[in-house]
Amino acid sequence: MSDGLVPVEIIDDLKHRHAEVHRHYHTWAHIEALMSWQEKLAGQLNDPTSVELAVLFHDAIYDPRATDNEARSAALMMSTLESFVPRTTLDRANTLILATAGHQLPNTADHMLKADCAFFLDMDLSILGTAPTLFDAYEEAIRNEYAFVPAEDYRKGRGALLRDFHARERLYFTDYFHDRLDQQARTNLTRSIEKLKLA
């Protein structure tokens, strides 16, 4: 994490938000995992600061019952950091956060921003390409976050989401993540989809 980029009291607030009782996957551990990727890939990013801010704030507001978490998280970042971070950097981070709503690249002529967004979205979905035990723990954590959803409804909804990802020509936008994680991610998704059919 960049020294002094975000005041410690704001980081503490973010950690508190990520410790909410209903969170099982979208915790601070998820942020730390993405920060590791961001630090590793900083040299390939056009604006590593905006990516770092997007990582820190993209799940700041997370209500599994809501459909506007991304927009509210982005708005929180903008209002919280307006006195600390240049507006151009915040605007770029805002675009990155909003892109997580559908995990699609933004419609922008800014090729550098789009390239950074590709890396950011791939970081966020890197869990799909992890070892089976880690992926299974992720799937269990997501189910716990949606414990209020009846089993049949969850089976259909989660299955549809995973099939949508699996059907994409490319799960990962960047060659970096595609080459490293695509094969394992598709294996994991196939297995999870089959398990949901049997549930």
Side-chain angles (χ1 to χ4, degrees), residues 36-49 116 119 123:
S36 294
W37 280 118
Q38 191 275 340
E39 292 167 5
K40 182 177 183 178
L41 298 170
Q44 300 189 50
L45 301 173
N46 297 293
D47 185 354
T49 298
D116 283 351
F119 272 109
M123 293 175 199

Side-chain angles (χ1 to χ4, degrees), residues 92 95-96 99 104-118:
R92 295 173 72 85
T95 298
L96 299 180
Q104 297 288 351
L105 295 177
N107 183 19
T108 175
D110 187 337
H111 298 298
M112 290 190 295
L113 176 59
K114 186 174 288 188
D116 283 351
C117 191

Side-chain angles (χ1 to χ4, degrees), residues 140-161:
E140 182 178 355
I142 295 296
R143 180 63 180 113
N144 287 335
E145 290 183 344
Y146 286 86
F148 60 91
V149 178
E152 181 64 14
D153 292 342
Y154 182 83
R155 185 182 66 80
K156 291 179 179 179
R158 185 66 178 171
L161 176 65

Side-chain angles (χ1 to χ4, degrees), residues 77-87 90:
M77 179 198 67
M78 298 292 285
S79 63
T80 301
L81 298 182
E82 60 183 355
S83 299
F84 307 101
V85 179
R87 181 57 187 252
L90 288 178

Side-chain angles (χ1 to χ4, degrees), residues 6-168:
V6 178
V8 64
E9 60 269 20
I10 295 177
I11 295 295
D12 288 342
D13 177 68
L14 288 172
K15 289 180 178 179
H16 178 75
R17 291 174 179 274
H18 285 81
E20 293 167 329
V21 66
H22 62 275
R23 294 179 185 246
H24 297 271
Y25 172 70
H26 293 89
T27 64
W28 194 248
H30 171 56
I31 302 304
E32 290 179 332
L34 268 62
M35 286 304 302
S36 294
W37 280 118
Q38 191 275 340
E39 292 167 5
K40 182 177 183 178
L41 298 170
Q44 300 189 50
L45 301 173
N46 297 293
D47 185 354
T49 298
S50 66
V51 176
E52 181 173 340
L53 294 179
V55 167
L56 289 172
F57 278 88
H58 76 286
D59 287 327
I61 294 176
Y62 181 70
D63 176 2
R65 299 175 185 267
T67 59
D68 60 349
N69 289 314
E70 297 83 5
R72 292 168 63 200
S73 294
L76 177 68
M77 179 198 67
M78 298 292 285
S79 63
T80 301
L81 298 182
E82 60 183 355
S83 299
F84 307 101
V85 179
R87 181 57 187 252
T88 53
T89 301
L90 288 178
D91 286 342
R92 295 173 72 85
N94 183 75
T95 298
L96 299 180
I97 293 173
L98 295 178
T100 63
H103 268 271
Q104 297 288 351
L105 295 177
N107 183 19
T108 175
D110 187 337
H111 298 298
M112 290 190 295
L113 176 59
K114 186 174 288 188
D116 283 351
C117 191
F119 272 109
F120 173 59
L121 293 178
D122 285 357
M123 293 175 199
D124 198 32
L125 287 187
S126 61
I127 186 66
L128 300 183
T130 55
T133 53
L134 294 177
F135 177 81
D136 289 347
Y138 154 74
E139 282 289 275
E140 182 178 355
I142 295 296
R143 180 63 180 113
N144 287 335
E145 290 183 344
Y146 286 86
F148 60 91
V149 178
E152 181 64 14
D153 292 342
Y154 182 83
R155 185 182 66 80
K156 291 179 179 179
R158 185 66 178 171
L161 176 65
L162 297 185
R163 286 194 298 273
D164 177 70
F165 277 124
H166 193 278
R168 293 187 179 189

